[in-house]
Amino acid sequence: MKRLKIKDILLNSKIGETIIAKGWVRTKRGSKNVNFIALNDGSTIHNLQIVADVSIFDESLLHEITTGAALSVTGKLTESAGGGQKIELIAETIELLGAADPDKFPIQSKRHTMEFLRENAHLRFRTNTFGAIFRIRHAMAFAIHKYFNEKGFNYLHTPIITGSDAEGAGQMFRVSTLDPKNPALTENGEIDYNEDFFGKPTNLTVSGQLEGELGALALGEIYTFGPTFRAENSNTTRHLSEFWMIEPEMAFYDLKDNMDLAEEFLKSLIKYALENCIDDLQFLASRLKQEEKSKPQDQRSMDLIEKLEFVLNNDFIRITYTEAIKILINSKPYKKKKFQFPVEWGVDLQSEHERYLVEKHFNCPVILTDYPKGIKAFYMKQNDDGKTVGAMDVLFPQIGEIIGGSQREENLEKLETRMKEMNIPSEEMWWYLDTRRYGSVEHSGFGLGFERFILFVTGMGNIRDVIAFPRTPKNAEF
RNA sequence: UCCCUAGUAGCUCAGUUGGUUAGAGCGGCGGACUGUUAAUCCGUAGGUCGUAGGUUCAAGUCCUACCUGGGGAGCCA
């Protein structure tokens, strides 16, 4: 007899069949004659109810069936006599695969705080919430590859270790094999990187974009999907030191093509989640609703599934940075001096401004384009007005910037001038500039923060709860 | 990094203007119960009050420093 997964048992198995199920005990309830065991094997949010007649099992065995224990159960499927489920398994044999000392096992069959579960990240997979989150996370990773594959994009593996410090996306983690206590020194007493593993200073990547462009300008369309590292001392609900990023890069795409792709891409992922993860989404939605009950009426947000459907069925608002500034200057909070930070053309928008636009003014995802060149990266396409660049940021309610992208500057001269202005060492970037020397074409790309997107789909509030083992300043446990 | 806030039983929390032996619910354990749904009922054990100093006759409670968590801001995806 073959072991069946609980998902398949609940979906396909027939009343009267004798089967084997294996999994972990969520709860056990008992009375004099019969014990009920909720068994979960991670294949679905739903549990299989095991019915154990007390008279046919050893008392010591039943005693060891506690929350967290692993069991193998053989029995016959029957229509459930109780109300909570359609079918249940009448146990004939129960094998205790692994006990879980009830005095020590930290996960109880009750609500735990997210903080407590974060400290028990090795066991939190065994809760309904984290089971749902990680099944959805997997489904979204799969849907990303599926989407790009179907569009003819090539998955490009850009390096994790980079010798370039010109990516300009923030503080980097150094990669070195030098002895930190006694590093090789030059005659001047400085660290001699010639003696280091790669013969030069190296770091963990903060973006695969520059290498991605090299691939796109030959393969046509590529995407990367890999870990990204930022050594910034950020302590927020939306930042990780190690996170996953998806970076498509497309030849012959202008800014509008780029936006169209970003919007279609995000919607296809949401659609996939609604079509394939509805059980888990419904669980998270009801969990969220429970949590919202403690909040004041005006701070409650839309139902999770309604929110996903709303984003799926509505066009993203597309406006330029310049138009956004006008809207902000005419806004109530601006006139009442409620904004903490100034609003004027040329300064970067603060999250209070983005939140106003997305959550109050439009109440819809917004794509902001054509930012002042002074606040954006060197590689962005310089517009004809001489003041702005072809950038685009996709802003989502509650989360803020979920995608940052741009059309890339393909003109060698303009790019070199801009690099000089921004003190970017162009000698080190010879390989990047070569793409503009030989057969340069217009191209575009963007970066999607995977965990930020998972936050949106799951409705979770803290980015540390949508990655298995979060790395943040002062925390690299597990 | 800055601002705010918290740290008391395995978990979630209460603990009054400083005052005797620090409490509750859940969980655990023991028992009861004809099918439960986070079962229910009765009983029971369980504490270096984050750490180190200080003030005081007396500190869980006040002060200082540090550590850790949470929320917000900045940096960004």
Side-chain angles (χ1 to χ4, degrees):
Chain A
M1 211 184 328
K2 223 183 132 192
R3 171 228 165 190
L4 296 179
K5 291 199 187 190
I6 289 175
K7 184 182 182 179
D8 297 326
I9 294 169
L10 296 178
L11 218 61
N12 304 321
S13 293
K14 293 183 192 76
I15 302 292
E17 266 183 310
T18 296
I19 56 145
I20 301 178
K22 298 184 185 186
W24 294 268
V25 176
R26 282 291 164 78
T27 57
K28 186 181 72 168
R29 296 172 289 273
S31 65
K32 196 174 182 182
N33 301 320
V34 69
N35 277 347
F36 300 96
I37 302 155
L39 197 70
N40 187 284
D41 68 358
S43 61
T44 163
I45 186 102
H46 301 298
N47 301 324
L48 177 65
Q49 172 150 287
I50 310 293
V51 183
D53 187 331
V54 171
S55 65
I56 65 170
F57 295 102
D58 276 355
E59 205 185 315
S60 63
L61 173 70
L62 292 176
H63 190 76
E64 282 195 281
I65 298 174
T66 56
T67 301
L71 304 181
S72 173
V73 182
T74 312
K76 195 176 272 186
L77 282 172
T78 63
E79 218 164 299
S80 179
Q85 55 285 315
K86 277 189 184 134
I87 59 170
E88 59 193 16
L89 186 63
I90 308 296
E92 283 158 18
T93 64
I94 298 177
E95 188 190 346
L96 182 73
L97 300 175
D101 184 344
D103 239 14
K104 292 179 184 147
F105 185 62
I107 310 296
Q108 304 169 357
S109 61
K110 61 171 249 178
R111 279 187 76 92
H112 286 293
T113 57
M114 287 297 129
E115 292 79 22
F116 175 76
L117 292 171
R118 224 169 277 152
E119 285 167 15
N120 291 281
H122 58 310
L123 297 170
R124 65 178 177 174
F125 298 109
R126 301 204 189 171
T127 63
N128 286 333
T129 302
F130 285 92
I133 290 167
F134 287 104
R135 277 186 297 270
I136 291 170
R137 185 181 163 114
H138 159 76
M140 290 298 90
F142 176 76
I144 285 162
H145 289 300
K146 180 171 178 278
Y147 175 83
F148 284 126
N149 184 56
E150 284 170 4
K151 278 196 100 76
F153 281 55
N154 294 287
Y155 179 24
L156 184 68
H157 297 98
T158 51
I160 307 274
I161 298 172
T162 170
S164 144
D165 60 357
E167 286 164 353
Q171 287 292 109
M172 302 173 104
F173 288 101
R174 173 142 291 160
V175 174
S176 175
T177 54
L178 290 176
D179 181 354
K181 278 188 191 150
N182 189 22
L185 299 177
T186 62
E187 286 172 2
N188 305 329
E190 284 166 4
I191 292 174
D192 186 2
Y193 287 105
N194 288 321
E195 295 298 315
D196 205 347
F197 190 88
F198 293 106
K200 62 191 274 193
T202 49
N203 297 290
L204 293 178
T205 182
V206 292
S207 164
Q209 181 202 316
L210 301 186
E211 289 93 346
E213 285 185 48
L214 312 181
L217 293 172
L219 294 163
E221 291 115 347
I222 65 96
Y223 69 105
T224 74
F225 186 175
T228 308
F229 307 88
R230 305 260 167 105
E232 233 100 59
N233 192 7
S234 298
N235 292 287
T236 80
T237 54
R238 1 175 251 293
H239 287 86
L240 291 165
S241 309
E242 175 184 291
F243 64 100
W244 289 68
M245 189 155 63
I246 299 101
E247 294 180 290
E249 198 68 39
M250 301 76 64
F252 316 114
Y253 271 51
D254 65 12
L255 191 67
K256 181 178 178 300
D257 299 328
N258 202 17
M259 286 190 276
D260 289 345
L261 180 79
E263 182 167 345
E264 184 189 75
F265 172 54
L266 289 171
K267 285 179 172 174
S268 85
L269 299 183
I270 291 168
K271 185 158 179 272
Y272 189 90
L274 285 167
E275 284 171 358
N276 294 276
C277 308
I278 195 67
D279 286 359
D280 288 324
L281 287 172
Q282 272 164 353
F283 173 82
L284 292 173
S286 66
R287 188 189 155 280
L288 216 59
K289 199 157 264 175
Q290 202 70 28
E291 217 171 58
E292 298 262 303
K293 277 184 185 165
S294 58
K295 288 187 189 169
Q297 198 88 37
D298 58 326
Q299 278 178 35
R300 293 182 192 175
S301 54
M302 211 188 277
D303 173 80
L304 177 62
I305 291 166
E306 277 174 40
K307 183 185 82 177
L308 296 176
E309 281 169 350
F310 178 84
V311 170
L312 185 58
N313 296 325
N314 287 278
D315 289 340
F316 295 4
I317 306 284
R318 300 181 184 191
I319 57 166
T320 64
Y321 167 90
T322 304
E323 287 166 333
I325 292 288
K326 280 184 197 153
I327 290 168
L328 288 168
I329 284 176
N330 285 315
S331 72
K332 265 188 199 161
Y334 180 81
K335 287 177 178 163
K336 289 185 176 173
K337 300 196 194 298
K338 288 276 169 67
F339 286 137
Q340 204 187 326
F341 291 90
V343 180
E344 58 179 300
W345 201 96
V347 302
D348 209 354
L349 297 179
Q350 301 296 320
S351 59
E352 59 178 355
H353 307 135
E354 294 180 351
R355 289 185 80 115
Y356 173 81
L357 289 170
V358 176
E359 290 165 22
K360 294 266 154 43
H361 189 81
F362 290 113
N363 198 24
C364 180
V366 173
I367 310 182
L368 285 180
T369 64
D370 302 294
Y371 284 72
K373 65 176 180 182
I375 57 172
K376 287 289 180 185
F378 72 92
Y379 49 72
M380 293 191 180
K381 170 81 177 173
Q382 294 165 42
N383 289 333
D384 294 339
D385 62 13
K387 295 190 295 188
T388 61
V389 290
M392 60 143 203
D393 284 1
V394 180
L395 309 178
F396 264 31
Q398 256 90 56
I399 289 153
E401 186 179 340
I402 199 164
I403 278 180
S406 70
Q407 188 174 335
R408 318 305 190 190
E409 181 54 72
E410 79 271 19
N411 180 288
L412 179 66
E413 217 173 292
K414 283 186 181 173
L415 187 57
E416 281 186 318
T417 306
R418 192 72 190 129
M419 287 171 83
K420 214 163 275 170
E421 286 168 8
M422 296 176 79
N423 290 319
I424 299 189
S426 47
E427 318 78 58
E428 275 180 38
M429 303 281 286
W430 59 272
W431 46 272
Y432 183 69
L433 293 169
D434 262 7
T435 54
R436 275 64 169 176
R437 285 191 184 99
Y438 312 118
S440 187
V441 297
E442 82 177 352
H443 64 289
S444 300
F446 62 80
L448 168 70
F450 187 50
E451 284 79 12
R452 286 195 181 170
F453 179 70
I454 302 299
L455 273 183
F456 179 76
V457 176
T458 58
M460 297 299 291
N462 191 318
I463 202 161
R464 295 169 190 133
D465 297 329
V466 297
I467 188 165
F469 302 106
R471 270 75 181 102
T472 52
K474 299 276 184 294
N475 179 21
E477 192 66 62
F478 305 107

